Amino acid sequence: MPRPIRATFDLDALRANLALTRAKVGRARIWAVVKANAYGHGLLRAARALEQADGFALLDLDDAVRLREAGFRHPILLLEGCFEPGDLAVAAEYGLTPVVHCLPQIEMLELSGLPVRLPVHLKLNTGMNRLGFALNEFAPALERLQRCTAVGTITLMTHFAEAETAGVKEPLQVFEAAASGIDAPRTLANSAAILRYPQTHADWVRPGIMLYGCSPLPDQSAEAIGLRPVMTLSSEIIAVQTLQPGEGTGYGRLFKAESPTRVGVVACGYADGYPRHAPTGTPVLVAGRRTRLLGRVSMDMLAVDLTDIPEAGIGTPVTLWGEGLSADEVAAAAGTVSYELLCALAPRVPQVEKN
Ligand SMILES: *Cc1c(COP(=O)(O)O)cnc(C)c1O
């Protein structure tokens, strides 16, 4: 029998989160962001549940080809664009939409001699300072693309650095300065901007994390937004220890009992994708009741406090995150974000679909 750990994917929740996104963005079309193996949910599995989206956005050319070969006819956006000339031929063959964020990518298009016109997304840097043309480089870049025989529809794009915190005022001004007077579709909003700034919805939105049922906003829970968790990481208690005051558990005995403490050992560790840096106190559900992580997370196991859950023993179900305990909360306790937890789900964890 395999270890009791598993990741369960609630595909109804994925569809419901897409529908909620649709309700929030009105007539804007939706690029469902499925990069990083659909945030750890499985690319093809997620794409099937998200087939009502208007397009898929990801990074890897190979993943785009996998979607095409699985029969998806949606537009597919390559969020970092093409890396070498050969990629353009593949993009043309499979009907992909590359982002163009730097001059070498424009040169590649000009020299490509492609027999078709590729739709592209021209990216403006509005303060993230990661990808994209600066404001003063944008118009010349756009003119070159408009003259290029390998380029079809051009969509104007930016990505916000602080939509979940400081806001979008300044980047929006920069974007308006670059885009005003240009008759082209526009895409700006990630999940945080979708939820917080309707004025950024434009022609296409690009939700990622909200589709997977987590909140992009530090001050609003996924539940309050109406999002449903898609991935649930669960396992079972496989051993029980009773600590006397002064005794510890796990490597380094980081947790030391001050009073008699009943400890459950759970079959889940950092090799399954649970964050090793999660401290004592990180929430865990045992038999549906909230308790806390104790001491250091090991490769294959972690310890939880069963002192107030006397009915729990070997075989009792444990939820690490998902239904009943948001990955956002676990991530916050561990000093990270739900994105990282979801993406880190290890391939060794058996996967189950429901709905
Ligand atoms: C990842 C990504 C998104 C989605 O971001 P979320 O915060 O997950 O909604 C949107 N746009 C771009 C360019 C991205 O890289």
Side-chain angles (χ1 to χ4, degrees):
M1 206 178 107
R3 295 164 73 225
I5 190 168
R6 76 189 64 81
T8 306
F9 297 94
D10 181 346
L11 302 182
D12 249 2
L14 197 48
R15 287 185 281 265
N17 296 337
L18 176 64
L20 182 136
T21 306
R22 180 79 74 194
K24 293 210 182 275
V25 304
R27 293 216 304 270
R29 282 180 283 174
I30 297 176
W31 287 117
V33 179
V34 293
K35 64 192 180 192
N37 195 30
Y39 292 47
H41 292 66
L43 175 66
L44 294 180
R45 170 190 294 140
R48 281 186 202 110
L50 293 168
E51 68 177 353
Q52 297 295 321
D54 301 289
F56 296 113
L58 44 65
L59 303 169
D60 277 311
L61 204 54
D62 288 351
D63 286 341
V65 170
R66 278 173 68 207
L67 284 180
R68 283 284 178 260
E69 289 181 342
F72 291 97
R73 313 271 288 269
H74 304 59
I76 298 178
L77 180 60
L78 298 171
L79 287 166
E80 292 178 350
C82 290
F83 301 94
E84 54 177 38
D87 295 351
L88 279 175
V90 178
E93 181 183 348
Y94 289 91
L96 311 178
T97 304
V99 163
V100 175
H101 66 78
C102 62
L103 278 177
Q105 290 180 330
I106 297 186
E107 281 155 19
M108 250 193 276
L109 280 160
E110 289 170 339
L111 298 172
S112 67
L114 285 184
V116 294
R117 287 182 174 273
L118 277 188
V120 300
H121 275 41
L122 177 60
K123 190 161 188 182
L124 175 72
N125 174 12
T126 51
M128 172 80 102
N129 291 313
R130 207 173 58 175
L131 303 183
F133 291 91
L135 179 56
N136 66 339
E137 305 163 336
F138 196 70
L142 178 62
E143 274 167 38
R144 272 177 76 173
L145 289 178
Q146 284 167 332
R147 282 198 304 269
C148 179
T149 57
V151 172
T153 307
I154 303 170
T155 298
L156 311 183
M157 172 184 187
T158 194
H159 188 48
F160 296 121
E162 298 180 283
E164 69 284 5
T165 48
V168 298
K169 189 158 176 267
E170 281 174 37
L172 206 50
Q173 283 167 355
V174 177
F175 188 80
E176 289 308 328
S180 77
I182 299 166
D183 181 20
R186 300 165 187 211
T187 177
L188 303 89
N190 58 2
S191 298
I194 288 169
L195 293 168
R196 198 154 263 178
Y197 304 105
Q199 69 271 35
T200 65
H201 291 173
D203 299 287
W204 286 82
V205 294
R206 304 188 308 271
I209 195 72
M210 68 186 290
L211 296 177
Y212 305 102
C214 291
S215 173
L217 305 175
D219 54 354
Q220 233 182 322
S221 72
E223 196 181 1
I225 297 166
L227 297 168
R228 287 168 50 187
V230 179
M231 178 197 297
T232 294
L233 180 62
S234 60
S235 187
E236 290 178 7
I237 306 280
I238 59 168
V240 177
Q241 304 287 342
T242 302
L243 306 186
Q244 296 309 318
E247 292 186 321
T249 182
Y251 288 111
R253 292 196 287 168
L254 281 193
F255 171 78
K256 289 248 168 63
E258 286 174 3
S259 51
T261 303
R262 213 165 151 256
V263 173
V265 178
V266 181
C268 176
Y270 62 78
D272 299 301
Y274 195 90
R276 182 177 176 277
H277 47 273
T280 289
T282 301
V284 181
L285 289 187
V286 175
R289 293 176 57 188
R290 282 173 83 96
T291 181
R292 56 180 186 144
L293 180 76
L294 296 178
R296 176 155 279 159
V297 174
S298 307
M299 182 182 285
D300 311 306
M301 286 172 265
L302 55 77
V304 297
D305 193 345
L306 300 183
T307 310
D308 295 331
I309 314 179
E311 73 274 21
I314 291 176
T316 298
V318 175
T319 299
L320 288 317
W321 62 69
E323 236 180 284
L325 176 61
S326 174
D328 292 320
E329 235 189 291
V330 179
T336 183
V337 289
S338 54
Y339 298 75
E340 190 181 6
L341 300 191
L342 301 180
C343 291
L345 180 73
R348 82 174 191 182
V349 176
Q351 306 196 352
V352 187
E353 292 177 9
K354 71 173 197 187
N355 305 317

